[in-house]
């Protein structure tokens, strides 16, 4: 336990991100962003005069270890709040533990939606904040004949179901849907590459996660496919996965997210600079890291307001808070525990850097159950103005 000058006990935050296993790359960015936020809070005097102490474990990208370590954090270590999880399979492994202890999980990752727990705050994108804007962008610029390639677990199945609905709404079609093991190697992608070559879709929607992502993009590149005409589009290919592939394998491909490391706002530039000062010049900074950072800041304000880290008062305090995150002003929607976010689409250039391709400047209400799952009503803005951007306004 860290010593405090005033003798007050530190607040202890559970931190559960993998630094080994298939999703270590992106989860390490989330772990580091959590630590960066905690250090910033401590540098300004802590919360109500008490420093924050992270209690961190590496669950190795394995749902069983996530479950066991959540139990250890809440039972033996007696933390009240857990910041963690990337893959939906790991969130689903942690949630029953968090619910049994009436704790709170802060989950900073895009996911497939269709979930609510009073014990979870979701700070990554829901489908109306990334799948729908991505589909609109792809249908306008590339076409509606899609091919799905994904890792073999819950997020890809459910995310593909949503994308298939959107393709159907637009009069498009899904040519095939192929799943590969979580730790897929080159051979595992042979069938997908062969079928893409045979069917020549307009776009590939990839729900591959973690270190297999670079294997897939390299296999695609080596097959000679033209990303300018037939790109891979994804919600999970972030700066961390791109860092694992050669730039020529990344060029031309597309990702939708509320944050990219090239965002040009003062808050985003400062966040990326601080992150790289702390973790190294070449450190990848991802949307998952940005959410991991701002969710710690939001919780710090909530504890300040509630005067306690007990989950129920903290959750109640969150309802009234706004935070100027690197992506823009964010807040939690207390009706569903998800977050108002800023959808964006970016394309990778020849150097393997994202370039923002579409940024409407609309803060978007979360609709995790896709109550309104329509291509023409994705934005659900929380301020006066047109509810829908016409397709023609998408640059
Ligand atoms: C994910 O599994 N939510 C990326």
């Amino acid at each position: 336990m860290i010593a405090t000058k005033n003798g007050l006990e530190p607040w202890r935050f559970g931190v559960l991100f993998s630094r080994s296993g298939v999703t270590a790359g992106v989860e390490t960015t989330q772990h580091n962003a959590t630590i960066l936020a905690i250090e910033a809070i401590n540098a300004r005097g802590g919360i109500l005069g008490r420093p924050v102490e992270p209690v961190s474990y590496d669950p190795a990208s394995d749902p069983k270890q996530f479950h066991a370590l959540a139990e250890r954090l809440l039972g033996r270590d007696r933390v009240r709040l857990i910041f963690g999880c990337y893959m939906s399979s790991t969130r689903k492994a942690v949630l029953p533990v968090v619910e049994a202890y009436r704790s709170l999980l802060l989950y900073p990752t895009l996911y497939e939606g269709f979930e609510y727990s009073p014990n979870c705050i979701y700070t990554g994108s829901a489908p109306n904040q990334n799948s729908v804007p991505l589909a609109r962008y792809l249908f306008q610029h590339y076409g509606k004949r899609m091919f799905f390639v994904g890792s073999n677990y819950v997020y890809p199945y459910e995310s593909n179901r949503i994308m298939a609905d959107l393709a159907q709404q637009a009069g498009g079609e899904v040519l095939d849907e192929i799943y590969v093991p979580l730790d897929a190697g080159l051979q595992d992608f042979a069938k997908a590459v062969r079928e893409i070559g045979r069917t020549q879709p307009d776009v590939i929607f990839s729900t591959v996660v973690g270190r297999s992502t670079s294997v897939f993009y390299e296999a695609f590149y080596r097959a000679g496919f033209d990303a300018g005409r037939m790109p891979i589009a994804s919600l999970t290919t972030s700066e961390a996965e791109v860092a694992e592939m050669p730039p020529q394998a990344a060029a031309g491909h597309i990702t939708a997210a509320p944050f990219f490391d090239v965002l040009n706002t003062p808050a985003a530039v400062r966040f990326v600079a601080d992150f790289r000062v702390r973790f190294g010049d070449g450190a990848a900074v991802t949307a998952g890291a940005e959410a991991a950072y701002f969710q710690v800041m939001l919780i710090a304000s909530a504890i300040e307001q509630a005067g306690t880290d007990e989950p129920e008062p903290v959750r109640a305090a969150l309802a009234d808070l706004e935070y100027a995150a690197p992506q823009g002003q964010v807040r939690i929607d207390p009706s569903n525990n998800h977050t108002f976010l800023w959808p964006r689409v970016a394309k990778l250039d020849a150097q393997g850097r994202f370039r923002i391709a579409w940024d409407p400047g609309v803060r978007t209400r979360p609709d995790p159950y896709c109550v309104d799952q329509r291509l023409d009503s994705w934005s659900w803005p929380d301020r006066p103005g047109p509810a829908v951007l016409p397709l023609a306004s998408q640059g």
Side-chain angles (χ1 to χ4, degrees):
M1 199 174 284
I2 52 183
T4 67
K5 276 191 240 139
N6 54 13
L8 290 174
E9 294 246 311
W11 308 98
R12 298 168 74 243
F13 287 2
V15 181
L16 218 42
F17 293 109
S18 306
R19 273 152 296 145
S20 57
V22 288
T23 50
V26 64
E27 289 195 59
T28 296
T29 74
Q30 294 177 298
H31 173 269
N32 288 350
T34 304
I35 300 302
L36 187 70
I38 290 173
E39 289 175 354
I41 290 163
N42 288 341
R44 68 183 191 213
I47 307 171
L48 300 172
R50 294 167 57 182
V52 178
E53 180 186 6
V55 184
S56 171
Y57 297 113
D58 172 10
S61 311
D62 173 13
K64 285 200 180 72
Q65 291 201 51
F66 268 91
H67 183 95
L69 290 169
E71 177 69 50
R72 184 193 293 192
L73 280 169
L74 297 173
R76 194 190 76 176
D77 300 330
R78 306 187 77 78
V79 309
R80 287 171 165 162
L81 308 167
I82 296 180
F83 300 77
C85 300
Y86 177 79
M87 280 189 281
S88 290
S89 49
T90 66
R91 183 192 68 257
K92 287 183 181 294
V94 163
L95 270 182
V97 186
V98 167
E99 288 176 353
Y101 280 90
R102 296 199 165 88
S103 167
L104 202 54
L105 171 68
L106 284 301
Y107 177 58
T109 306
L110 73 107
Y111 86 112
E112 63 281 2
F114 295 88
E115 190 180 282
Y116 166 79
S117 166
N119 302 90
C120 187
I121 302 292
Y122 305 78
T123 57
S125 297
N128 73 302
Q129 296 166 317
N130 57 6
S131 296
V132 179
L134 179 63
R136 287 168 59 98
Y137 183 85
L138 297 174
F139 298 164
Q140 182 176 36
H141 293 278
Y142 295 94
K144 300 168 188 167
R145 295 174 66 253
M146 306 190 85
F147 193 106
F148 294 169
V149 182
S151 299
N152 196 11
Y153 76 106
V154 60
Y155 157 73
Y157 309 151
E158 295 303 313
S159 192
N160 280 341
R161 184 183 58 72
I162 292 165
M163 192 56 87
D165 282 353
L166 296 171
Q168 193 182 26
Q169 266 182 52
E173 61 180 318
V174 178
L175 301 174
D176 205 348
E177 181 167 341
I178 290 180
Y179 293 95
V180 295
L182 259 181
D183 203 5
L186 199 55
Q187 269 317 306
D188 296 301
F189 288 108
K191 181 176 173 208
V193 168
R194 195 170 59 242
E195 287 304 300
I196 289 166
R198 188 179 68 77
T199 57
Q200 292 290 308
D202 296 324
V203 62
I204 293 85
F205 179 50
S206 169
T207 47
V208 175
V209 299
R211 66 184 171 215
S212 295
T213 306
S214 63
V215 180
F216 178 41
Y217 282 56
E218 278 197 71
F220 189 90
Y221 174 72
R222 281 201 230 154
F225 298 141
D226 175 8
R229 193 182 58 76
M230 181 175 70
I232 303 173
S234 173
L235 310 172
T236 48
T237 302
S238 73
E239 292 82 348
E241 289 76 21
V242 173
E244 293 171 0
M245 58 181 89
Q248 62 271 24
H253 299 303
I254 292 165
T255 295
F259 173 87
F260 292 94
D261 66 351
V262 296
L263 267 188
N264 206 9
T265 63
V269 170
R270 197 174 333 115
F271 171 62
V272 171
D274 289 350
F275 195 97
R276 291 190 173 140
V277 165
R278 176 66 176 83
F279 298 107
D281 255 359
V285 192
T286 64
E290 191 252 1
Y293 182 85
F294 81 65
Q295 68 176 16
V296 174
M297 294 304 192
L298 271 173
I299 287 294
S301 300
I303 293 175
E304 221 146 54
Q305 215 167 82
T308 172
D309 66 348
E310 282 169 38
E312 191 44 49
V314 166
R315 191 160 63 94
L318 278 174
D320 299 323
L321 294 175
E322 291 262 350
Y323 180 71
Q327 68 175 275
Q329 195 87 6
V330 296
R331 76 178 174 91
I332 309 300
D333 184 341
S335 72
N336 58 34
N337 283 1
H338 290 63
T339 309
F340 285 78
L341 299 172
W342 300 80
R344 295 178 169 102
V345 173
K347 193 191 285 194
L348 287 153
D349 69 13
Q351 283 72 48
R353 284 182 53 80
F354 282 112
R355 298 282 163 211
I356 305 293
W358 177 78
D359 186 356
V362 177
R363 184 167 87 162
T364 303
R365 200 167 121 196
D367 179 19
Y369 282 91
C370 295
V371 172
D372 197 356
Q373 188 174 302
R374 284 184 295 133
L375 273 167
D376 61 358
S377 65
W378 65 277
S379 72
W380 285 54
D382 65 314
R383 55 187 164 78
V388 177
L389 292 182
L391 270 172
S393 76
Q394 300 188 12

